[in-house]
Amino acid sequence: MDWRARRGFSLIEVTVVLGLVVLVAGITLMSLKPGKDKTSSLALATALADEFRSARQLAISNGHPVAVCFPTNGGNQEVADSIYRLEGWNVPRVTWSKGFRGDYPELGFGAAKWSGPTFTDGAPLPPLTKAAAFNINTWVPSAHRNDTVYCFTPDGGVITDNLPALNGNYTVVVAKNPAIAGRTISAGADATVVQISANGAVSYTKGIAPKLS
């Protein structure tokens, strides 16, 4: 046998084989990765909570108010499937928007209360807050004043135009096919409540009582 006729793999051959192995492994991992649950109110509530937290951090970092807003079609629609962000001091402007209908086609959300607990219109400001003199009614541009607005201030707190609050926490209800009128949810399945304290802390709880139809 002529051992000189035998040779090893070239660098190009090794690189091609390794590339194919990595590609196949990547495709396999993607196929095994669980997909987003497009029917889960908890998944959408988690996404909304993340956006609230991001807005709060932006307000603190940049030193100006940042608001997360739900469009209401001029005040005629209390169930939303998208949000946008207002930023700035004297002349706040829309800097970002996001729609959720594609990822969560059956879900909606809105600032809402429900029968049973005692709600207040607005949450009390935390002690010594620097936002006490902040007037959200004059800050929000006229084109957006009918929308639902949660405005985070540079000290980390949040102010709204007297949106529903329970035990000092603003409430955003996420549900499947929700019906909201007069800031009260009367129907909707698989509900999750996002809670925002006046200090700007954000959390969420699966389900509300009593259960909705």
Side-chain angles (χ1 to χ4, degrees), residues 42-192:
L42 183 59
L44 178 52
T46 301
L48 286 174
D50 288 343
E51 298 302 341
F52 282 124
R53 294 187 184 110
S54 295
R56 180 177 186 267
Q57 189 57 49
L58 277 174
I60 295 172
S61 300
N62 296 338
H64 61 232
V66 178
V68 174
C69 311
F70 307 164
T72 63
N73 189 26
N76 297 314
Q77 181 178 318
E78 296 188 41
V79 176
D81 58 20
S82 65
I83 62 176
Y84 65 91
R85 189 182 292 158
L86 281 173
E87 291 189 55
W89 269 116
N90 297 326
V91 186
R93 59 189 180 88
V94 177
T95 59
W96 173 89
S97 63
K98 183 174 184 177
F100 297 98
R101 176 64 65 181
D103 287 336
Y104 308 96
E106 297 182 337
L107 298 173
F109 52 88
K113 52 189 175 182
W114 54 92
S115 60
T118 300
F119 283 81
T120 59
D121 292 328
L125 289 172
L128 304 178
T129 178
K130 297 178 182 178
F134 180 76
N135 190 329
I136 190 172
N137 294 310
T138 58
W139 180 79
V140 176
S142 58
H144 304 281
R145 284 180 187 162
N146 288 320
D147 290 345
T148 300
V149 178
Y150 295 89
C151 183
F152 292 90
T153 57
D155 63 356
V158 64
I159 297 177
T160 76
D161 182 18
N162 293 324
L163 293 177
L166 177 62
N167 298 326
N169 296 313
Y170 294 108
T171 53
V172 177
V173 180
V174 184
K176 182 178 180 181
N177 300 319
I180 302 175
R183 299 297 186 194
T184 300
I185 183 167
S186 58
D190 183 40
T192 299

